[in-house]
Amino acid sequence: MSTPVTHPGEPILQVNDLKKHFAITGGLFSTITGFVYAVDGVSFSIDRGETLSLVGESGCGKSTVGKAILRLFTITEGQVVLNGQRIDELSSAALRPLRKSMQVVFQDPFSSLNPRMRVRDILAEPITNFGLATNEAEIDERIGKLMDKVGLPRDAVNRWPHEFSGGQRQRIGIARALAAEPDIIICDEAVSALDVSVKAQIVNLLCDLQKELGLALLFISHDLAIVEHMTHRIAVMYLGKIVEKGTRDQIFSAPMHPYTKALLSAVPIPDPDAKRERILLKGDVPSPINPPKGCRFNTRCPYAFDRCRSEEPELRQMAHKHVAACHLHDLPAAENPLLTGTIKNA
Ligand code: SF4
């Protein structure tokens, strides 16, 4: 039985203390030998017409968050609330009509479209499944409008997916998501596989559609440079946890976590005279099977001190809408390198 937990004016999507631990099994009897702590207590919300970007290196758990929201598997703990209704505990049958509100655009436009279906049939499927048209003429009218919206010619509906470029296929993927008339679209690395110029076109298209339709977007990306010009807020993930969350300006102008600083230092600056010192992180993200004790970032953090290796920092308020999890903020401001701007490499 689902429980309404929000009220009018509520966010489109709320994720409360979400955890997803995958069991590792082994031996003759497939006994559980451990867990992959892929997502370990993640919370955020997204309002109508808002874009929240979930960023972090590959392996940080951000795509698992997207899949958990889409209910591609059962979550371990927490809540996922869509339009005021908990969906994490619904049966597949009860969830089916609610899927209309929440659509997805995947990373790979080559594998996410059925190669044996013409574009018309790909777009007709959600329209029919969610009862949005009563006859073929209505379906065709909707499909024509969807093609207009994503900037593809109407007469391309009779073509097969393989006849399109990567960018055009991603436009078809977006049209398919829009066909259901959703409230929110989850874009899971939706532009990562595309060439740089095509990336910008697809990001611009998503922004335009968002403004026109009042859509909420959860934009999952490993690349802060992509989200810089299109997001309202950013949540930075590291090893299954959110380590910093804030508005775009807060994250880009005043990052309050060493990991965010390091990610930002790799973002190219368009002004050739402007300088941004690069912070190089040692090694890869540690295994989520056995995350480091204390702060999970301590094995790569250039500022780590003893406390970081024993005590996990909580997210704390830095400013309105801005939180970060780092022990450095317990130091006097003059000794906090994140505030004094002292760059240190690992
Ligand atoms: Fe670095 Fe310590 Fe802050 Fe973690 S708590 S980010 S290890 S300084």
Side-chain angles (χ1 to χ4, degrees):
M1 173 94 182
S2 67
T3 322
V5 291
T6 49
H7 46 77
E10 68 213 1
I12 297 270
L13 178 72
Q14 262 181 278
V15 172
N16 301 326
D17 203 18
L18 176 71
K19 293 185 183 170
K20 180 61 192 175
H21 302 162
F22 294 99
I24 307 167
T25 53
L28 198 55
F29 302 105
S30 294
T31 44
I32 294 176
T33 54
F35 289 93
V36 178
Y37 298 94
V39 178
D40 212 10
V42 160
S43 301
F44 58 82
S45 64
I46 308 180
D47 290 333
R48 189 172 296 278
E50 184 184 43
T51 300
L52 175 76
S53 296
L54 201 52
V55 301
E57 290 162 288
S58 107
C60 70
K62 57 192 187 305
S63 285
T64 307
V65 171
K67 291 186 176 87
I69 294 168
L70 289 162
R71 276 284 303 271
L72 299 186
F73 41 64
T74 310
I75 63 173
T76 307
E77 260 182 68
Q79 294 183 341
V80 179
V81 183
L82 179 67
N83 281 325
Q85 183 168 14
R86 272 190 73 175
I87 61 168
D88 54 276
E89 53 185 16
L90 293 180
S91 67
S92 304
L95 184 64
R96 204 165 295 130
L98 301 181
R99 288 201 181 277
K100 177 186 176 303
S101 306
M102 184 169 58
Q103 293 292 304
V104 61
V105 177
F106 289 109
Q107 171 174 6
D108 185 357
F110 291 89
S111 61
S112 61
L113 301 176
N114 186 336
R116 287 181 293 279
M117 286 170 82
R118 291 181 194 269
V119 171
R120 186 199 179 277
D121 299 327
I122 290 171
L123 299 184
E125 201 170 55
I127 296 173
T128 313
N129 286 351
F130 295 117
L132 294 169
T134 50
N135 56 51
E136 291 295 308
E138 270 182 42
I139 293 175
D140 284 331
E141 193 187 330
R142 280 181 175 262
I143 289 174
K145 286 182 181 161
L146 287 167
M147 295 295 273
D148 296 344
K149 273 198 180 9
V150 299
L152 289 173
R154 287 189 175 211
D155 58 9
V157 292
N158 291 316
R159 286 158 58 188
W160 304 92
H162 73 264
E163 296 179 66
F164 295 88
S165 68
Q168 287 171 328
R169 286 189 201 209
Q170 206 53 309
R171 286 175 192 267
I172 298 167
I174 293 169
R176 180 180 56 185
L178 292 177
E181 297 187 338
D183 296 316
I184 180 166
I185 298 182
I186 297 176
C187 302
D188 187 2
E189 298 279 10
V191 298
S192 303
L194 305 174
D195 293 342
V196 175
S197 60
V198 182
K199 255 182 207 174
Q201 289 168 16
I202 298 297
V203 166
N204 288 340
L205 172 65
L206 284 167
C207 289
D208 292 346
L209 290 170
Q210 177 179 54
K211 284 188 201 114
E212 185 188 333
L213 304 171
L215 280 169
L217 296 178
L218 174 60
F219 200 85
I220 297 170
S221 175
H222 66 279
D223 189 348
L224 268 169
I226 290 174
V227 309
E228 182 170 6
H229 301 291
M230 54 87 70
T231 198
H232 298 106
R233 286 187 301 126
I234 297 172
V236 181
M237 270 190 85
Y238 187 79
L239 212 50
K241 299 221 166 208
I242 289 177
V243 296
E244 184 164 9
K245 193 165 51 177
T247 64
R248 177 187 55 186
D249 290 348
Q250 286 166 338
I251 297 294
F252 275 87
S253 310
M256 289 291 166
H257 195 281
Y259 182 58
T260 313
K261 273 203 174 246
L263 290 182
L264 280 172
S265 78
V267 174
I269 308 176
D271 178 357
D273 296 327
K275 276 194 182 156
R276 184 181 277 160
E277 202 155 345
R278 182 82 197 263
I279 303 171
L280 299 170
L281 292 177
K282 280 188 298 193
D284 297 322
V285 180
S287 166
I289 295 172
N290 191 15
K293 286 202 170 49
C295 173
R296 294 181 176 206
F297 188 50
N298 84 63
T299 54
R300 300 171 81 202
C301 179
Y303 305 104
F305 52 108
D306 283 351
R307 184 180 174 196
C308 306
R309 288 178 266 276
S310 59
E311 188 184 328
E312 185 156 19
E314 299 283 329
L315 279 173
R316 63 166 71 188
Q317 199 82 31
M318 308 308 304
H320 179 55
K321 293 189 173 180
H322 192 182
V323 291
C326 176
H327 292 314
L328 289 174
H329 297 298
D330 277 343
L331 299 174
E335 292 170 30
N336 182 344
L338 297 174
L339 302 178
T340 57
T342 323
I343 298 281
K344 198 173 167 189
N345 271 310

